[in-house]
Amino acid sequence: MVVISYEYIFNDDCWFKGFCEREKNVGCDSGCPSYIEMHYLMNTSNIPERYKGIQKLVPQNCDYETFKNLGKIKSDIINFVKSGEFLYIHGNLGTGKSAWAIKLMQAYIGNIHIGNQFQDRCWFDYIPSINVKLKDFTQDDKRAELLKALHERDLVILDDIGMLASTNFDATNIASVINYRYSNKKTTIFTSNVQPDDLIKNVDVRLVDRILSGYVMELKGIGLRGKGGTYP
């Protein structure tokens, strides 16, 4: 049996601060059911610490249309996930691809957290990290739990899919995940620095066909990470 360790730590810097009825009426406290469920989902989805807070994303001029289209997905995120959609977000380094993917995941979590009853619903992972973890045969329980999350969760983000290694072991594991999620209508968001037409250089053509089978959106701006820009 796999036992998942989870630590609950209350922080009054809540995702709903400023527009929560409980906050207005009784104030923020560690017993808030909404905060507890939201905290659980955010911390069992493998979202990097940097991205767990509220992300303010401001488009560069060339990306207004893409932001608008991603915003439409965000506003209808429940139906997007229920429909088992695939989304491929690509662009230059530091343009907000991962931040947007996680923003969509957070929107889903925000919509389903009440009454979730501590079910595991989402998973974020970086392709090279997945490959490293799956090669660690000294941690069979963790490998099994990772594969279960990648296959079964409602919404999965596969970050930097263009970094998929060409070894048979790595390619087979990721292909298994993608094929399963495609066949079972499990919504998956991919991010990549690779243009769709160039993805075939690193990824099997049949897998590329599935990755690009849904929405494809490009962030065309220059990378702003570490330059004092608007992202993240």
Side-chain angles (χ1 to χ4, degrees), residues 43-207:
N43 286 276
T44 56
S45 296
N46 202 40
I47 295 172
E49 199 63 38
R50 174 185 289 274
Y51 295 103
K52 284 182 181 175
I54 297 171
Q55 298 291 311
K56 182 179 179 181
L57 301 175
V58 181
Q60 298 178 55
N61 290 337
C62 56
D63 285 328
Y64 276 109
E65 192 64 28
T66 301
F67 267 58
K68 181 180 177 181
N69 290 330
L70 287 168
K72 288 179 180 177
I73 292 175
K74 178 174 173 285
S75 66
D76 194 33
I77 192 65
I78 293 295
N79 287 324
F80 182 79
V81 173
K82 282 183 178 179
S83 298
E85 301 287 356
F86 273 25
L87 167 63
Y88 183 79
I89 306 173
H90 66 101
N92 295 322
L93 292 169
T95 52
K97 301 179 297 297
S98 299
W100 251 116
I102 292 172
K103 195 175 188 70
L104 295 175
M105 181 173 281
Q106 288 176 328
Y108 181 64
I109 291 173
N111 273 273
I112 55 92
H113 73 285
I114 296 177
N116 180 61
Q117 298 183 339
F118 303 102
Q119 296 180 72
D120 298 326
R121 307 292 287 270
C122 300
W123 189 260
F124 171 96
D125 225 325
Y126 178 52
I127 288 293
S129 294
I130 293 173
N131 292 332
V132 170
K133 286 181 277 191
L134 290 180
K135 287 174 180 173
D136 185 0
F137 291 95
T138 67
Q139 302 283 341
D140 284 346
D141 282 356
K142 289 184 178 180
R143 289 179 72 253
E145 190 60 32
L146 173 59
L147 285 170
K148 181 180 178 182
L150 290 169
H151 282 80
E152 298 293 349
R153 300 223 181 162
D154 297 356
L155 175 59
V156 165
I157 296 171
L158 295 177
D159 194 41
D160 224 343
I161 190 66
M163 292 286 289
L164 180 61
S166 58
T167 66
N168 287 337
F169 181 84
D170 294 339
T172 299
N173 278 311
I174 300 301
S176 173
V177 170
I178 294 172
N179 285 327
Y180 179 88
R181 295 190 65 81
Y182 178 86
S183 298
N184 290 277
K185 300 190 75 173
K186 297 279 190 180
T187 296
T188 311
I189 300 174
F190 305 90
T191 70
S192 180
N193 304 322
V194 181
Q195 290 285 334
D197 290 344
D198 293 331
L199 195 58
I200 195 172
K201 295 177 182 177
N202 296 336
V203 183
D204 180 82
V205 62
R206 291 164 294 184
L207 209 55

Side-chain angles (χ1 to χ4, degrees), residues 17 21 23 25 57 88 139 162-163 206 218 224 231:
K17 199 174 186 68
E21 287 301 317
E23 178 194 3
N25 295 328
L57 301 175
Y88 183 79
Q139 302 283 341
M163 292 286 289
R206 291 164 294 184
E218 181 179 12
L224 295 174
Y231 162 73

Side-chain angles (χ1 to χ4, degrees), residues 196-232:
D197 290 344
D198 293 331
L199 195 58
I200 195 172
K201 295 177 182 177
N202 296 336
V203 183
D204 180 82
V205 62
R206 291 164 294 184
L207 209 55
V208 170
D209 184 63
R210 296 209 163 171
I211 292 169
L212 303 178
S213 64
Y215 296 85
V216 177
M217 297 192 187
E218 181 179 12
L219 291 168
K220 301 176 182 178
I222 60 171
L224 295 174
R225 187 184 295 128
K227 298 181 181 179
T230 55
Y231 162 73

